[in-house]
Amino acid sequence: MRILTTFGLLLVLFTSCTNQPDLSGFDVEAFKKDRGACGGTREKQIDWLKTHKMTWKGVSSNDLEDILGKPDIQQLADRNQEYYVYFLEKGEQCENIKNPSMARTMAFRFSAMGLTTEITFQQGLP
């Protein structure tokens, strides 16, 4: 019984520490449905994303995936860090996601604890 109580408290503590972004004015469903940015709807949201980029800081990788959907590309980095990359405009990735593309992207870097530490915008992959 004591183990269950301890586990429950840890679970509540962990889930209460993650940052939940304010998404007012952002069309989450349109972003999710436009996989690889091949439908052109993500491109319309670039200004909102850039303006509110700090909103995503501290968001867990699980929460981010729930909100934006599965990343178009997931990269592992050194020291147990990872990147989630979302394409923001049409490009070579629309023909085959493995094609090198210089389309605009948004990348989220996560710490070893799984929290967003950096959000960048660039042409192609980071």
Side-chain angles (χ1 to χ4, degrees), residues 30-63:
F31 190 95
K32 268 186 178 180
K33 289 179 183 174
D34 191 11
R35 189 90 169 106
C38 299
T41 58
R42 285 185 183 178
E43 193 167 10
K44 298 172 187 170
Q45 299 189 65
I46 292 174
D47 289 336
W48 189 97
L49 290 165
K50 284 185 175 182
T51 302
H52 297 88
K53 112 178 191 177
M54 295 312 290
T55 300
W56 302 102
K57 207 135 193 191
V59 174
S60 74
S61 58
N62 290 335
D63 288 343

PDB file of all heavy atoms in Angstrom, residues 30-63:
ATOM      1  N   ALA A  30      -5.480  21.641 -37.566  1.00  0.00           N
ATOM      2  CA  ALA A  30      -4.961  21.864 -38.922  1.00  0.00           C
ATOM      3  C   ALA A  30      -3.477  21.508 -38.987  1.00  0.00           C
ATOM      4  O   ALA A  30      -3.019  20.907 -39.961  1.00  0.00           O
ATOM      5  CB  ALA A  30      -5.179  23.315 -39.341  1.00  0.00           C
ATOM      6  N   PHE A  31      -2.732  21.860 -37.940  1.00  0.00           N
ATOM      7  CA  PHE A  31      -1.304  21.536 -37.906  1.00  0.00           C
ATOM      8  C   PHE A  31      -1.104  20.027 -37.898  1.00  0.00           C
ATOM      9  O   PHE A  31      -0.294  19.496 -38.657  1.00  0.00           O
ATOM     10  CB  PHE A  31      -0.644  22.163 -36.673  1.00  0.00           C
ATOM     11  CG  PHE A  31       0.854  22.076 -36.684  1.00  0.00           C
ATOM     12  CD1 PHE A  31       1.609  23.126 -37.168  1.00  0.00           C
ATOM     13  CD2 PHE A  31       1.516  20.950 -36.217  1.00  0.00           C
ATOM     14  CE1 PHE A  31       3.005  23.054 -37.190  1.00  0.00           C
ATOM     15  CE2 PHE A  31       2.895  20.863 -36.235  1.00  0.00           C
ATOM     16  CZ  PHE A  31       3.637  21.921 -36.726  1.00  0.00           C
ATOM     17  N   LYS A  32      -1.841  19.331 -37.059  1.00  0.00           N
ATOM     18  CA  LYS A  32      -1.721  17.871 -36.953  1.00  0.00           C
ATOM     19  C   LYS A  32      -2.045  17.170 -38.272  1.00  0.00           C
ATOM     20  O   LYS A  32      -1.372  16.233 -38.673  1.00  0.00           O
ATOM     21  CB  LYS A  32      -2.685  17.333 -35.894  1.00  0.00           C
ATOM     22  CG  LYS A  32      -2.127  17.220 -34.532  1.00  0.00           C
ATOM     23  CD  LYS A  32      -3.170  16.542 -33.647  1.00  0.00           C
ATOM     24  CE  LYS A  32      -2.692  16.338 -32.255  1.00  0.00           C
ATOM     25  NZ  LYS A  32      -3.680  15.699 -31.400  1.00  0.00           N
ATOM     26  N   LYS A  33      -3.102  17.630 -38.932  1.00  0.00           N
ATOM     27  CA  LYS A  33      -3.559  16.972 -40.160  1.00  0.00           C
ATOM     28  C   LYS A  33      -2.627  17.211 -41.349  1.00  0.00           C
ATOM     29  O   LYS A  33      -2.632  16.443 -42.297  1.00  0.00           O
ATOM     30  CB  LYS A  33      -4.966  17.448 -40.514  1.00  0.00           C
ATOM     31  CG  LYS A  33      -6.021  16.913 -39.571  1.00  0.00           C
ATOM     32  CD  LYS A  33      -7.398  17.430 -39.932  1.00  0.00           C
ATOM     33  CE  LYS A  33      -8.432  16.948 -38.933  1.00  0.00           C
ATOM     34  NZ  LYS A  33      -9.743  17.533 -39.177  1.00  0.00           N
ATOM     35  N   ASP A  34      -1.846  18.271 -41.307  1.00  0.00           N
ATOM     36  CA  ASP A  34      -0.961  18.624 -42.429  1.00  0.00           C
ATOM     37  C   ASP A  34       0.406  17.958 -42.259  1.00  0.00           C
ATOM     38  O   ASP A  34       1.433  18.608 -42.135  1.00  0.00           O
ATOM     39  CB  ASP A  34      -0.824  20.141 -42.516  1.00  0.00           C
ATOM     40  CG  ASP A  34      -0.154  20.582 -43.805  1.00  0.00           C
ATOM     41  OD1 ASP A  34       0.013  19.747 -44.714  1.00  0.00           O
ATOM     42  OD2 ASP A  34       0.208  21.771 -43.890  1.00  0.00           O
ATOM     43  N   ARG A  35       0.418  16.653 -42.271  1.00  0.00           N
ATOM     44  CA  ARG A  35       1.640  15.852 -42.064  1.00  0.00           C
ATOM     45  C   ARG A  35       2.690  16.210 -43.112  1.00  0.00           C
ATOM     46  O   ARG A  35       2.425  16.217 -44.312  1.00  0.00           O
ATOM     47  CB  ARG A  35       1.265  14.375 -42.156  1.00  0.00           C
ATOM     48  CG  ARG A  35       2.356  13.454 -41.767  1.00  0.00           C
ATOM     49  CD  ARG A  35       2.298  13.163 -40.267  1.00  0.00           C
ATOM     50  NE  ARG A  35       3.202  12.070 -39.965  1.00  0.00           N
ATOM     51  CZ  ARG A  35       4.357  12.256 -39.350  1.00  0.00           C
ATOM     52  NH1 ARG A  35       4.697  13.433 -38.937  1.00  0.00           N
ATOM     53  NH2 ARG A  35       5.155  11.249 -39.125  1.00  0.00           N
ATOM     54  N   GLY A  36       3.879  16.572 -42.665  1.00  0.00           N
ATOM     55  CA  GLY A  36       4.971  16.923 -43.571  1.00  0.00           C
ATOM     56  C   GLY A  36       4.799  18.273 -44.233  1.00  0.00           C
ATOM     57  O   GLY A  36       5.569  18.644 -45.104  1.00  0.00           O
ATOM     58  N   ALA A  37       3.763  19.020 -43.855  1.00  0.00           N
ATOM     59  CA  ALA A  37       3.443  20.337 -44.417  1.00  0.00           C
ATOM     60  C   ALA A  37       3.090  20.261 -45.894  1.00  0.00           C
ATOM     61  O   ALA A  37       3.185  21.254 -46.611  1.00  0.00           O
ATOM     62  CB  ALA A  37       4.566  21.332 -44.171  1.00  0.00           C
ATOM     63  N   CYS A  38       2.681  19.107 -46.357  1.00  0.00           N
ATOM     64  CA  CYS A  38       2.396  18.918 -47.780  1.00  0.00           C
ATOM     65  C   CYS A  38       1.046  19.490 -48.199  1.00  0.00           C
ATOM     66  O   CYS A  38       0.797  19.693 -49.385  1.00  0.00           O
ATOM     67  CB  CYS A  38       2.500  17.434 -48.137  1.00  0.00           C
ATOM     68  SG  CYS A  38       4.161  16.792 -47.840  1.00  0.00           S
ATOM     69  N   GLY A  39       0.176  19.767 -47.250  1.00  0.00           N
ATOM     70  CA  GLY A  39      -1.132  20.350 -47.555  1.00  0.00           C
ATOM     71  C   GLY A  39      -1.130  21.866 -47.585  1.00  0.00           C
ATOM     72  O   GLY A  39      -2.080  22.492 -48.034  1.00  0.00           O
ATOM     73  N   GLY A  40      -0.064  22.482 -47.073  1.00  0.00           N
ATOM     74  CA  GLY A  40       0.069  23.934 -47.121  1.00  0.00           C
ATOM     75  C   GLY A  40      -0.564  24.688 -45.959  1.00  0.00           C
ATOM     76  O   GLY A  40      -0.472  25.916 -45.919  1.00  0.00           O
ATOM     77  N   THR A  41      -1.184  24.002 -45.000  1.00  0.00           N
ATOM     78  CA  THR A  41      -1.823  24.738 -43.901  1.00  0.00           C
ATOM     79  C   THR A  41      -0.834  25.118 -42.793  1.00  0.00           C
ATOM     80  O   THR A  41      -1.053  26.107 -42.101  1.00  0.00           O
ATOM     81  CB  THR A  41      -3.002  23.948 -43.291  1.00  0.00           C
ATOM     82  OG1 THR A  41      -2.529  22.687 -42.828  1.00  0.00           O
ATOM     83  CG2 THR A  41      -4.110  23.744 -44.281  1.00  0.00           C
ATOM     84  N   ARG A  42       0.237  24.380 -42.627  1.00  0.00           N
ATOM     85  CA  ARG A  42       1.226  24.739 -41.601  1.00  0.00           C
ATOM     86  C   ARG A  42       1.902  26.059 -41.937  1.00  0.00           C
ATOM     87  O   ARG A  42       2.233  26.842 -41.051  1.00  0.00           O
ATOM     88  CB  ARG A  42       2.290  23.648 -41.456  1.00  0.00           C
ATOM     89  CG  ARG A  42       1.813  22.432 -40.728  1.00  0.00           C
ATOM     90  CD  ARG A  42       2.950  21.462 -40.514  1.00  0.00           C
ATOM     91  NE  ARG A  42       2.486  20.242 -39.879  1.00  0.00           N
ATOM     92  CZ  ARG A  42       3.262  19.207 -39.618  1.00  0.00           C
ATOM     93  NH1 ARG A  42       4.540  19.240 -39.940  1.00  0.00           N
ATOM     94  NH2 ARG A  42       2.767  18.130 -39.049  1.00  0.00           N
ATOM     95  N   GLU A  43       2.105  26.293 -43.225  1.00  0.00           N
ATOM     96  CA  GLU A  43       2.791  27.514 -43.656  1.00  0.00           C
ATOM     97  C   GLU A  43       2.044  28.765 -43.197  1.00  0.00           C
ATOM     98  O   GLU A  43       2.652  29.781 -42.873  1.00  0.00           O
ATOM     99  CB  GLU A  43       2.945  27.505 -45.181  1.00  0.00           C
ATOM    100  CG  GLU A  43       3.891  28.546 -45.696  1.00  0.00           C
ATOM    101  CD  GLU A  43       4.260  28.319 -47.149  1.00  0.00           C
ATOM    102  OE1 GLU A  43       3.652  27.465 -47.819  1.00  0.00           O
ATOM    103  OE2 GLU A  43       5.178  29.016 -47.599  1.00  0.00           O
ATOM    104  N   LYS A  44       0.723  28.676 -43.124  1.00  0.00           N
ATOM    105  CA  LYS A  44      -0.103  29.809 -42.695  1.00  0.00           C
ATOM    106  C   LYS A  44       0.059  30.109 -41.211  1.00  0.00           C
ATOM    107  O   LYS A  44      -0.344  31.166 -40.754  1.00  0.00           O
ATOM    108  CB  LYS A  44      -1.574  29.522 -43.003  1.00  0.00           C
ATOM    109  CG  LYS A  44      -1.859  29.354 -44.474  1.00  0.00           C
ATOM    110  CD  LYS A  44      -3.275  28.891 -44.704  1.00  0.00           C
ATOM    111  CE  LYS A  44      -3.494  28.557 -46.169  1.00  0.00           C
ATOM    112  NZ  LYS A  44      -4.764  27.898 -46.413  1.00  0.00           N
ATOM    113  N   GLN A  45       0.644  29.179 -40.452  1.00  0.00           N
ATOM    114  CA  GLN A  45       0.766  29.353 -39.007  1.00  0.00           C
ATOM    115  C   GLN A  45       2.188  29.707 -38.550  1.00  0.00           C
ATOM    116  O   GLN A  45       2.447  29.815 -37.360  1.00  0.00           O
ATOM    117  CB  GLN A  45       0.300  28.071 -38.310  1.00  0.00           C
ATOM    118  CG  GLN A  45      -1.165  27.766 -38.620  1.00  0.00           C
ATOM    119  CD  GLN A  45      -1.703  26.637 -37.782  1.00  0.00           C
ATOM    120  OE1 GLN A  45      -1.795  26.776 -36.577  1.00  0.00           O
ATOM    121  NE2 GLN A  45      -2.036  25.524 -38.421  1.00  0.00           N
ATOM    122  N   ILE A  46       3.089  29.915 -39.498  1.00  0.00           N
ATOM    123  CA  ILE A  46       4.487  30.195 -39.154  1.00  0.00           C
ATOM    124  C   ILE A  46       4.613  31.456 -38.301  1.00  0.00           C
ATOM    125  O   ILE A  46       5.350  31.471 -37.313  1.00  0.00           O
ATOM    126  CB  ILE A  46       5.368  30.292 -40.418  1.00  0.00           C
ATOM    127  CG1 ILE A  46       5.469  28.914 -41.088  1.00  0.00           C
ATOM    128  CG2 ILE A  46       6.756  30.829 -40.082  1.00  0.00           C
ATOM    129  CD1 ILE A  46       6.188  28.915 -42.422  1.00  0.00           C
ATOM    130  N   ASP A  47       3.904  32.519 -38.662  1.00  0.00           N
ATOM    131  CA  ASP A  47       4.007  33.765 -37.893  1.00  0.00           C
ATOM    132  C   ASP A  47       3.594  33.547 -36.437  1.00  0.00           C
ATOM    133  O   ASP A  47       4.260  34.022 -35.520  1.00  0.00           O
ATOM    134  CB  ASP A  47       3.161  34.878 -38.525  1.00  0.00           C
ATOM    135  CG  ASP A  47       3.755  35.375 -39.833  1.00  0.00           C
ATOM    136  OD1 ASP A  47       4.984  35.220 -40.038  1.00  0.00           O
ATOM    137  OD2 ASP A  47       2.992  35.905 -40.659  1.00  0.00           O
ATOM    138  N   TRP A  48       2.491  32.809 -36.221  1.00  0.00           N
ATOM    139  CA  TRP A  48       2.048  32.532 -34.843  1.00  0.00           C
ATOM    140  C   TRP A  48       3.111  31.735 -34.110  1.00  0.00           C
ATOM    141  O   TRP A  48       3.441  32.032 -32.953  1.00  0.00           O
ATOM    142  CB  TRP A  48       0.724  31.763 -34.838  1.00  0.00           C
ATOM    143  CG  TRP A  48       0.133  31.649 -33.472  1.00  0.00           C
ATOM    144  CD1 TRP A  48      -0.831  32.446 -32.930  1.00  0.00           C
ATOM    145  CD2 TRP A  48       0.474  30.690 -32.451  1.00  0.00           C
ATOM    146  NE1 TRP A  48      -1.095  32.054 -31.636  1.00  0.00           N
ATOM    147  CE2 TRP A  48      -0.310  30.982 -31.316  1.00  0.00           C
ATOM    148  CE3 TRP A  48       1.376  29.635 -32.372  1.00  0.00           C
ATOM    149  CZ2 TRP A  48      -0.227  30.244 -30.136  1.00  0.00           C
ATOM    150  CZ3 TRP A  48       1.466  28.902 -31.193  1.00  0.00           C
ATOM    151  CH2 TRP A  48       0.670  29.209 -30.095  1.00  0.00           C
ATOM    152  N   LEU A  49       3.652  30.719 -34.755  1.00  0.00           N
ATOM    153  CA  LEU A  49       4.664  29.871 -34.119  1.00  0.00           C
ATOM    154  C   LEU A  49       5.913  30.669 -33.733  1.00  0.00           C
ATOM    155  O   LEU A  49       6.459  30.495 -32.642  1.00  0.00           O
ATOM    156  CB  LEU A  49       5.039  28.706 -35.040  1.00  0.00           C
ATOM    157  CG  LEU A  49       3.952  27.649 -35.215  1.00  0.00           C
ATOM    158  CD1 LEU A  49       4.266  26.756 -36.409  1.00  0.00           C
ATOM    159  CD2 LEU A  49       3.803  26.819 -33.945  1.00  0.00           C
ATOM    160  N   LYS A  50       6.364  31.554 -34.615  1.00  0.00           N
ATOM    161  CA  LYS A  50       7.554  32.355 -34.319  1.00  0.00           C
ATOM    162  C   LYS A  50       7.277  33.351 -33.194  1.00  0.00           C
ATOM    163  O   LYS A  50       8.106  33.535 -32.307  1.00  0.00           O
ATOM    164  CB  LYS A  50       8.032  33.087 -35.572  1.00  0.00           C
ATOM    165  CG  LYS A  50       8.744  32.178 -36.541  1.00  0.00           C
ATOM    166  CD  LYS A  50       9.310  32.953 -37.713  1.00  0.00           C
ATOM    167  CE  LYS A  50      10.126  32.038 -38.604  1.00  0.00           C
ATOM    168  NZ  LYS A  50      10.722  32.751 -39.726  1.00  0.00           N
ATOM    169  N   THR A  51       6.123  33.973 -33.227  1.00  0.00           N
ATOM    170  CA  THR A  51       5.759  34.944 -32.197  1.00  0.00           C
ATOM    171  C   THR A  51       5.646  34.293 -30.826  1.00  0.00           C
ATOM    172  O   THR A  51       6.014  34.879 -29.821  1.00  0.00           O
ATOM    173  CB  THR A  51       4.426  35.633 -32.553  1.00  0.00           C
ATOM    174  OG1 THR A  51       4.563  36.253 -33.828  1.00  0.00           O
ATOM    175  CG2 THR A  51       4.046  36.673 -31.525  1.00  0.00           C
ATOM    176  N   HIS A  52       5.133  33.065 -30.778  1.00  0.00           N
ATOM    177  CA  HIS A  52       4.883  32.373 -29.513  1.00  0.00           C
ATOM    178  C   HIS A  52       5.883  31.244 -29.250  1.00  0.00           C
ATOM    179  O   HIS A  52       5.582  30.305 -28.524  1.00  0.00           O
ATOM    180  CB  HIS A  52       3.456  31.813 -29.508  1.00  0.00           C
ATOM    181  CG  HIS A  52       2.417  32.865 -29.582  1.00  0.00           C
ATOM    182  ND1 HIS A  52       1.936  33.355 -30.774  1.00  0.00           N
ATOM    183  CD2 HIS A  52       1.780  33.553 -28.602  1.00  0.00           C
ATOM    184  CE1 HIS A  52       1.041  34.285 -30.532  1.00  0.00           C
ATOM    185  NE2 HIS A  52       0.925  34.429 -29.222  1.00  0.00           N
ATOM    186  N   LYS A  53       7.067  31.351 -29.806  1.00  0.00           N
ATOM    187  CA  LYS A  53       8.027  30.249 -29.685  1.00  0.00           C
ATOM    188  C   LYS A  53       8.390  29.949 -28.231  1.00  0.00           C
ATOM    189  O   LYS A  53       8.589  28.801 -27.868  1.00  0.00           O
ATOM    190  CB  LYS A  53       9.232  30.524 -30.570  1.00  0.00           C
ATOM    191  CG  LYS A  53      10.518  30.805 -29.929  1.00  0.00           C
ATOM    192  CD  LYS A  53      11.601  31.013 -30.964  1.00  0.00           C
ATOM    193  CE  LYS A  53      12.934  31.035 -30.298  1.00  0.00           C
ATOM    194  NZ  LYS A  53      14.039  31.164 -31.203  1.00  0.00           N
ATOM    195  N   MET A  54       8.447  30.931 -27.369  1.00  0.00           N
ATOM    196  CA  MET A  54       8.795  30.692 -25.970  1.00  0.00           C
ATOM    197  C   MET A  54       7.675  29.972 -25.214  1.00  0.00           C
ATOM    198  O   MET A  54       7.901  29.431 -24.137  1.00  0.00           O
ATOM    199  CB  MET A  54       9.159  32.004 -25.270  1.00  0.00           C
ATOM    200  CG  MET A  54      10.410  32.650 -25.837  1.00  0.00           C
ATOM    201  SD  MET A  54      11.822  31.529 -26.029  1.00  0.00           S
ATOM    202  CE  MET A  54      12.262  31.237 -24.347  1.00  0.00           C
ATOM    203  N   THR A  55       6.485  29.934 -25.786  1.00  0.00           N
ATOM    204  CA  THR A  55       5.365  29.210 -25.192  1.00  0.00           C
ATOM    205  C   THR A  55       5.692  27.733 -25.047  1.00  0.00           C
ATOM    206  O   THR A  55       5.196  27.069 -24.137  1.00  0.00           O
ATOM    207  CB  THR A  55       4.116  29.363 -26.104  1.00  0.00           C
ATOM    208  OG1 THR A  55       3.816  30.740 -26.213  1.00  0.00           O
ATOM    209  CG2 THR A  55       2.925  28.623 -25.574  1.00  0.00           C
ATOM    210  N   TRP A  56       6.521  27.223 -25.932  1.00  0.00           N
ATOM    211  CA  TRP A  56       6.822  25.789 -25.969  1.00  0.00           C
ATOM    212  C   TRP A  56       7.937  25.378 -25.010  1.00  0.00           C
ATOM    213  O   TRP A  56       8.151  24.197 -24.786  1.00  0.00           O
ATOM    214  CB  TRP A  56       7.207  25.384 -27.394  1.00  0.00           C
ATOM    215  CG  TRP A  56       6.147  25.682 -28.390  1.00  0.00           C
ATOM    216  CD1 TRP A  56       6.132  26.727 -29.260  1.00  0.00           C
ATOM    217  CD2 TRP A  56       4.933  24.959 -28.617  1.00  0.00           C
ATOM    218  NE1 TRP A  56       4.981  26.687 -30.012  1.00  0.00           N
ATOM    219  CE2 TRP A  56       4.232  25.610 -29.638  1.00  0.00           C
ATOM    220  CE3 TRP A  56       4.383  23.810 -28.052  1.00  0.00           C
ATOM    221  CZ2 TRP A  56       3.012  25.165 -30.114  1.00  0.00           C
ATOM    222  CZ3 TRP A  56       3.160  23.356 -28.520  1.00  0.00           C
ATOM    223  CH2 TRP A  56       2.491  24.035 -29.547  1.00  0.00           C
ATOM    224  N   LYS A  57       8.644  26.339 -24.448  1.00  0.00           N
ATOM    225  CA  LYS A  57       9.775  26.022 -23.564  1.00  0.00           C
ATOM    226  C   LYS A  57       9.267  25.295 -22.308  1.00  0.00           C
ATOM    227  O   LYS A  57       8.313  25.714 -21.675  1.00  0.00           O
ATOM    228  CB  LYS A  57      10.502  27.289 -23.164  1.00  0.00           C
ATOM    229  CG  LYS A  57      11.927  27.048 -22.835  1.00  0.00           C
ATOM    230  CD  LYS A  57      12.805  28.087 -23.466  1.00  0.00           C
ATOM    231  CE  LYS A  57      14.204  27.570 -23.349  1.00  0.00           C
ATOM    232  NZ  LYS A  57      15.189  28.462 -23.654  1.00  0.00           N
ATOM    233  N   GLY A  58       9.904  24.189 -21.976  1.00  0.00           N
ATOM    234  CA  GLY A  58       9.532  23.422 -20.795  1.00  0.00           C
ATOM    235  C   GLY A  58       8.429  22.403 -21.017  1.00  0.00           C
ATOM    236  O   GLY A  58       8.057  21.674 -20.109  1.00  0.00           O
ATOM    237  N   VAL A  59       7.899  22.332 -22.244  1.00  0.00           N
ATOM    238  CA  VAL A  59       6.859  21.349 -22.568  1.00  0.00           C
ATOM    239  C   VAL A  59       7.525  19.985 -22.744  1.00  0.00           C
ATOM    240  O   VAL A  59       8.586  19.885 -23.361  1.00  0.00           O
ATOM    241  CB  VAL A  59       6.099  21.759 -23.851  1.00  0.00           C
ATOM    242  CG1 VAL A  59       5.117  20.688 -24.283  1.00  0.00           C
ATOM    243  CG2 VAL A  59       5.391  23.084 -23.640  1.00  0.00           C
ATOM    244  N   SER A  60       6.922  18.955 -22.214  1.00  0.00           N
ATOM    245  CA  SER A  60       7.513  17.615 -22.335  1.00  0.00           C
ATOM    246  C   SER A  60       7.343  17.080 -23.754  1.00  0.00           C
ATOM    247  O   SER A  60       6.443  17.504 -24.488  1.00  0.00           O
ATOM    248  CB  SER A  60       6.872  16.650 -21.342  1.00  0.00           C
ATOM    249  OG  SER A  60       5.576  16.299 -21.767  1.00  0.00           O
ATOM    250  N   SER A  61       8.194  16.145 -24.122  1.00  0.00           N
ATOM    251  CA  SER A  61       8.108  15.550 -25.464  1.00  0.00           C
ATOM    252  C   SER A  61       6.775  14.825 -25.642  1.00  0.00           C
ATOM    253  O   SER A  61       6.189  14.863 -26.728  1.00  0.00           O
ATOM    254  CB  SER A  61       9.283  14.607 -25.711  1.00  0.00           C
ATOM    255  OG  SER A  61       9.328  13.590 -24.735  1.00  0.00           O
ATOM    256  N   ASN A  62       6.270  14.205 -24.587  1.00  0.00           N
ATOM    257  CA  ASN A  62       4.973  13.518 -24.674  1.00  0.00           C
ATOM    258  C   ASN A  62       3.842  14.511 -24.911  1.00  0.00           C
ATOM    259  O   ASN A  62       2.962  14.276 -25.745  1.00  0.00           O
ATOM    260  CB  ASN A  62       4.691  12.715 -23.403  1.00  0.00           C
ATOM    261  CG  ASN A  62       5.591  11.518 -23.275  1.00  0.00           C
ATOM    262  OD1 ASN A  62       6.092  10.991 -24.257  1.00  0.00           O
ATOM    263  ND2 ASN A  62       5.818  11.086 -22.048  1.00  0.00           N
ATOM    264  N   ASP A  63       3.867  15.630 -24.177  1.00  0.00           N
ATOM    265  CA  ASP A  63       2.828  16.644 -24.356  1.00  0.00           C
ATOM    266  C   ASP A  63       2.908  17.262 -25.746  1.00  0.00           C
ATOM    267  O   ASP A  63       1.888  17.509 -26.391  1.00  0.00           O
ATOM    268  CB  ASP A  63       2.937  17.734 -23.290  1.00  0.00           C
ATOM    269  CG  ASP A  63       2.509  17.266 -21.913  1.00  0.00           C
ATOM    270  OD1 ASP A  63       1.834  16.217 -21.812  1.00  0.00           O
ATOM    271  OD2 ASP A  63       2.844  17.949 -20.921  1.00  0.00           O
TER     272      ASP A  63
END
